[in-house]
Amino acid sequence: MTTPYGSTTLVLLLGVLLLAGDALAQTDEGWKAHDFTRPRPVVVTPGPATGPVAPPSDAIVLFDGTDLSKWQSVNGGAAPWKVEGGYMETVAGSGFIQTKQAFGDVQLHVEWAAPVPAVGSGQGRGNSGVFLMGHYEIQVLDSYENDTYPDGQAAAAYGQAPPLVNVARPPGEWQTYDIIFRRPHFAPDGSLKEPARITVIHNGVLVQDHTAYWGPTSWLQHLPYTSHAPRLPLILQDHDNPVRFRNIWIRELDQTLPPPVSPPPAEPIVQLDPATLDGYVGTYQAGGTTLGRVFREGNALYIDLFNRAQGGDAANQLLLPHSTTDFSMHWTAGDVTFTLDDAGVPSAIRVVAAGFDLQAPKAE
Ligand code: MG
């Protein structure tokens, strides 16, 4: 994770390698890491800067401008960065700092400013980084009129995905990152189930849109995912440049995976034979309005509510029988109750769902 690319020797060597390997830069799958021939993200001028964005009530404030009590050195001990004037500043050579608390899925707000005057060029100008879970970097770099390889500029998922646009402010001006991060998920055998994903808004402009990392951040390596804990500390990078940070707050997000695209189980609670189900079939109307049309397909009963089946029969609600009178809807939180006449034949329906409670007799 440490990236010693401030070395003049390494930079010169890298230049030679790039010249030699230029024609082999793009692969069938996309772009190789750190490709200088990759198109530059379009420059967008952000709207006017605002003051610090106050944290919401449920945020954990990681830095309010006064002290580094929520942070420590990744090497152990107190965080060795400078705090003054309401900001913290990287101390060259002091090392990365990390939060004492560990996090998984989060919304993160970070404000940062590149050094003034701008010193150096490329990766050597205003370089730091926000490492989610200590592994997945969103690059911090002075990318105002400072060219570098696109997957290494400000707001890049470093070495993997350039930002959609370059919306950097000039050095010295405060910039905002609003980050939504979803952690990777691993199977019990350690294999990857879901990659880490990141969405970033830089100075009010979308720059990463649910971007998947192909692995942890690295430099001149292609590191595979390796199973890790569901929560790990947030890390800020010391890249030998005096980058400033202020107003850092974080909100923990629900750790569940996105909802499945497959339907929930459709097993009926009780089994009703087709002949019985046919007794429910019909149109239920009140005051000239159709509440629902009930029909059977195979061993399943469906309802088309309010004649809304523009999507065809598949768009209708499967009804799951709990008894001969009580059914639940498959897709919507709602109950359907039938009234049976003296002969046990359904004669009326009641539908309770989405805040309504309506009844209607079965039309003759
Ligand atoms: Mg960096």
Side-chain angles (χ1 to χ4, degrees):
M1 192 158 55
T2 303
T3 52
Y5 41 113
S7 156
T8 304
T9 307
L10 277 173
V11 169
L12 288 173
L13 178 60
L14 181 59
V16 172
L17 288 172
L18 280 161
L19 288 172
D22 193 60
L24 302 173
Q26 193 173 6
T27 69
D28 289 343
E29 290 76 34
W31 296 88
K32 293 184 179 181
H34 315 323
D35 188 344
F36 274 97
T37 68
R38 192 170 187 163
R40 302 297 186 268
V42 170
V43 173
V44 170
T45 304
T50 61
V53 178
S57 61
D58 64 346
I60 299 165
V61 176
L62 295 173
F63 179 64
D64 67 0
T66 59
D67 64 63
L68 294 175
S69 58
K70 301 285 177 64
W71 300 81
Q72 60 191 3
S73 167
V74 296
N75 303 315
W81 292 12
K82 186 166 71 178
V83 176
E84 63 179 25
Y87 57 82
M88 69 165 97
E89 184 177 294
T90 310
V91 174
S94 67
F96 295 14
I97 63 171
Q98 67 180 27
T99 54
K100 293 177 180 175
Q101 187 172 342
F103 300 99
D105 291 356
V106 294
Q107 176 186 346
L108 173 66
H109 177 85
V110 175
E111 299 179 20
W112 60 275
V116 177
V119 174
S121 62
Q123 292 293 306
R125 184 189 293 188
N127 194 331
S128 181
V130 178
F131 283 75
L132 284 302
M133 303 190 87
H135 290 302
Y136 311 101
E137 184 186 18
I138 282 296
Q139 172 74 309
V140 170
L141 192 79
D142 181 358
S143 285
Y144 185 82
E145 299 177 354
N146 176 39
D147 191 44
T148 187
Y149 43 83
D151 65 15
Q153 70 182 64
Y158 180 81
Q160 302 188 27
L164 295 171
V165 294
N166 178 353
V167 69
R169 295 190 190 282
E173 293 189 14
W174 286 103
Q175 313 203 40
T176 57
Y177 280 171
D178 287 285
I179 295 170
I180 294 110
F181 177 77
R182 291 294 181 178
R183 70 175 175 89
H185 289 253
F186 299 94
D189 68 0
S191 62
L192 183 69
K193 280 171 60 185
E194 291 279 337
R197 290 186 180 274
I198 198 153
T199 299
V200 181
I201 293 173
H202 181 193
N203 295 331
V205 176
L206 182 70
V207 287
Q208 296 289 346
D209 182 11
H210 205 51
T211 303
Y213 286 87
W214 45 246
T217 298
S218 63
W219 179 64
L220 303 183
Q221 290 177 299
H222 189 279
L223 298 180
Y225 276 100
T226 52
S227 181
H228 57 64
R231 286 182 170 81
L232 290 168
L234 175 72
I235 287 180
L236 297 179
Q237 184 184 40
D238 165 25
H239 203 284
D240 294 338
N241 302 145
V243 175
R244 294 175 179 176
F245 292 91
R246 73 175 185 187
N247 192 30
I248 304 174
W249 50 262
I250 198 166
R251 297 178 62 249
E252 295 194 281
L253 302 177
D254 185 1
Q255 298 277 316
T256 53
L257 287 170
V261 292
S262 56
E267 290 303 311
I269 286 74
V270 298
Q271 294 287 345
L272 300 177
D273 60 58
T276 303
L277 291 177
D278 279 340
Y280 301 86
V281 169
T283 300
Y284 296 80
Q285 292 177 321
T289 300
T290 297
L291 174 54
R293 178 177 62 87
V294 174
F295 61 96
R296 178 178 70 81
E297 280 187 8
N299 289 326
L301 209 59
Y302 293 81
I303 187 166
D304 168 18
L305 287 165
F306 306 115
N307 277 328
R308 296 180 66 254
Q310 298 95 333
D313 284 348
N316 293 305
Q317 289 281 349
L318 175 63
L319 293 178
L320 300 171
H322 294 241
S323 70
T324 54
T325 56
D326 298 331
F327 292 68
S328 60
M329 295 189 218
H330 186 207
W331 290 104
T332 301
D335 295 315
V336 172
T337 308
F338 291 93
T339 302
L340 307 184
D341 64 17
D342 292 342
V345 177
S347 59
I349 196 172
R350 178 182 178 189
V351 181
V352 180
F356 67 79
D357 183 347
L358 296 171
Q359 300 184 52
K362 188 196 256 181
E364 294 303 322

